[in-house]
Amino acid sequence: MYKFIITIDLKPGTRDKVLAAAPEAQAATRAEPGCIAYDFYTCTDDPDRLVFVESWVDRAAHDFHMEQEHTKRFIAFHEQFNRALTFETINADVPE
């Protein structure tokens, strides 16, 4: 499994714009082959911080996702409102 946590700190007053566009990106992403989960959240202690959690069957599925027009469009849209973005890869295949 290939898993990510993406944290976006938004410019004040722009959260609602990004949240309005996110469901369309979420639906298109969830329909992609290899997508296990694609969810987004607003932090309770910072309303200008969004957290996206993605799970993919493998890296190839995520690479495919990154080439999709809806992905490129959503990234280009929210980048104009970002103050900071952190992209963390989680190794979910570690044996117990």
Side-chain angles (χ1 to χ4, degrees), residues 15-55:
R15 179 190 60 161
D16 290 345
K17 293 176 186 178
V18 176
L19 287 178
E24 180 182 338
Q26 182 183 47
T29 300
R30 285 179 171 176
E32 290 177 29
C35 180
I36 297 169
Y38 182 89
D39 299 296
F40 55 90
Y41 308 92
T42 301
C43 286
T44 56
D45 60 343
D46 183 350
D48 292 322
R49 178 174 291 153
L50 302 181
V51 178
F52 289 75
V53 180
E54 303 181 28
S55 297

Side-chain angles (χ1 to χ4, degrees), residues 48-66:
D48 292 322
R49 178 174 291 153
L50 302 181
V51 178
F52 289 75
V53 180
E54 303 181 28
S55 297
W56 301 89
V57 295
D58 56 24
R59 183 171 186 144
H62 182 259
D63 289 346
F64 174 83
H65 164 67
M66 294 304 293

